Amino acid sequence: MAYPIKTDRISAIDALRGFALLGILLIHTVETFAFFEDSLIEGPVDNALKMLLGNLFHNRSNAIFALLFGCSFWFLLRNPLYPSVKFVWRCVLLAAIGVVAKLFYTYDILFWYGLCGMLLVAVRRCPPRVLLVLSAALLIASPFVAALHISDWLFPETLPDRYVSDYSLRQILDYPLIYSVEESLKAVLNNLSLRTLGLMVLGYWIGCKGYITNWKAVVTTRLVVPACIITVLMFAFVLAIRGDGSTRLYRVCEEWLFTIQALSMAILFMWLCRKEARWQQPLACYGRLGLTNYFFQGWVGVTLSCVWFIPCGLHLAQQLAVMFAFYLLQMAFSILWCRTHRYGPLEYLWRKATSLIPNRS
């Protein structure tokens, strides 16, 4: 069965985005969408799933997502007629979509991505060498800056907890939006810090070097094999120094490991897409509607956690099965939508609002 997409976009990149969104959904499910109900993780199956998904996707999937945001921004900013103020406006709109998402799910990352994206305008005309150095500096500094807990200086520690197991959906919706934004900023400053911006700059550098448009010539076995070897060696090193997980050396190296693993996973996935297999197209449809699908992941996940998962005591394996079924449902919708539409629903609204500022003539 064919899955035609009415666009000239690179299918493999959309498929990678769809894969990253699967990882994000599964990790959010493991965390019960911020309710953190460890009592629902029982038995060897649940614990094995938690360990497997954590080692495979935790902090890796959102790293790939950030990298792809940088790549998509390059597609826009490479056009000299695309004004910087229009791009900033586009990022403001993305941040606004993220604020709306926080009506349900505090830890939605679109608001943070919008803020980080605005800063890319400052490096729009930087040469590739400067972009690479800047990206490396941001990624290297990220765990050290995160260790400073800047959010503790900026936000009070007395914010009421939005996610407790006896909260109803109505109580989730009644939570003040300003508190949700503050909680989100506190979380990203403590955990992601400069990492997101560094990965976006790296994605922009990848575009500037021509590696996106010429990706099949770049992502070859000569690149995949070293990337996998480096990942394995670094993972072994981190295991050797892990101890109880409380040492600063471990926390610093663990953050870099996440980034390197994310890059290796992206390279390996793109390499698997070289032959354009049939499994790639459904993922590409899902990734094509990435903004729409991600937006509703949080809304549906929080709702199910409130009204079903936690009240009924569903264990992790059961929750994962339900959310994976929801992912497949979103995929089916994406496939049908892409047959007749060039952009997803939220993507279309985002694009129309962005076009209020015209390109240069």
Side-chain angles (χ1 to χ4, degrees), residues 86-97:
K86 182 175 182 177
F87 181 77
V88 172
W89 171 239
R90 181 182 178 88
C91 292
V92 168
L93 292 171
L94 179 63
I97 294 172

Side-chain angles (χ1 to χ4, degrees), residues 201-273:
V201 174
L202 181 60
Y204 192 76
W205 172 81
I206 290 172
C208 289
K209 291 292 289 184
Y211 296 151
I212 296 177
T213 54
N214 198 32
W215 70 272
K216 286 188 177 181
V218 175
V219 183
T220 63
T221 305
R222 288 187 299 178
L223 179 63
V224 172
V225 172
C228 293
I229 292 175
I230 291 173
T231 299
V232 171
L233 292 177
M234 192 168 182
F235 188 69
F237 171 72
V238 170
L239 286 178
I241 66 171
R242 180 172 184 171
D244 62 358
S246 63
T247 64
R248 178 170 296 183
L249 178 61
Y250 168 72
R251 292 198 300 269
V252 170
C253 292
E254 182 186 38
E255 183 67 24
W256 292 335
L257 172 66
F258 290 155
T259 301
I260 292 176
Q261 282 185 321
L263 295 175
S264 298
M265 288 172 63
I267 292 171
L268 179 59
F269 187 93
M270 295 295 288
W271 180 72
L272 293 174
C273 289

Side-chain angles (χ1 to χ4, degrees), residues 29-205:
T29 305
V30 171
E31 298 170 347
T32 323
F33 287 86
F35 287 90
F36 296 101
E37 287 290 326
D38 289 335
S39 61
L40 301 178
I41 301 177
E42 296 180 356
V45 174
D46 283 354
N47 284 304
L49 286 171
K50 180 181 179 180
M51 181 181 67
L52 175 64
L53 295 175
N55 287 323
L56 184 61
F57 292 120
H58 180 64
N59 276 352
R60 285 80 162 177
S61 293
N62 57 17
I64 295 174
F65 204 45
L67 183 75
L68 292 176
F69 257 87
C71 293
S72 64
F73 289 160
W74 171 79
F75 276 105
L76 298 173
L77 295 178
R78 64 175 175 169
N79 180 2
L81 299 180
Y82 197 98
S84 295
V85 66
K86 182 175 182 177
F87 181 77
V88 172
W89 171 239
R90 181 182 178 88
C91 292
V92 168
L93 292 171
L94 179 63
I97 294 172
V99 170
V100 174
K102 293 184 189 305
L103 292 172
F104 268 75
Y105 187 41
T106 290
Y107 301 108
D108 180 279
I109 57 177
L110 295 177
F111 177 70
W112 181 244
Y113 277 29
L115 296 183
C116 290
M118 296 179 201
L119 300 177
L120 285 182
V121 171
V123 300
R124 178 176 188 175
R125 307 194 190 285
C126 287
R129 182 178 299 179
V130 174
L131 291 172
L132 184 60
V133 171
L134 177 60
S135 173
L138 290 169
L139 292 173
I140 291 172
S142 175
F144 298 105
V145 174
L148 298 176
H149 295 283
I150 297 175
S151 67
D152 295 339
W153 311 343
L154 301 177
F155 303 107
E157 298 181 1
T158 57
L159 289 176
D161 188 4
R162 182 180 197 177
Y163 299 102
V164 293
S165 58
D166 59 342
Y167 263 29
S168 66
L169 182 60
R170 175 61 182 271
Q171 289 172 308
I172 288 290
L173 294 175
D174 285 344
Y175 190 79
L177 185 58
I178 184 62
Y179 288 173
S180 186
V181 173
E182 289 180 3
E183 282 284 351
S184 174
L185 286 174
K186 184 175 182 179
V188 295
L189 288 174
N190 281 346
N191 298 318
L192 299 179
S193 192
L194 302 179
R195 182 169 177 253
T196 299
L197 183 59
L199 286 165
M200 286 185 179
V201 174
L202 181 60
Y204 192 76
W205 172 81

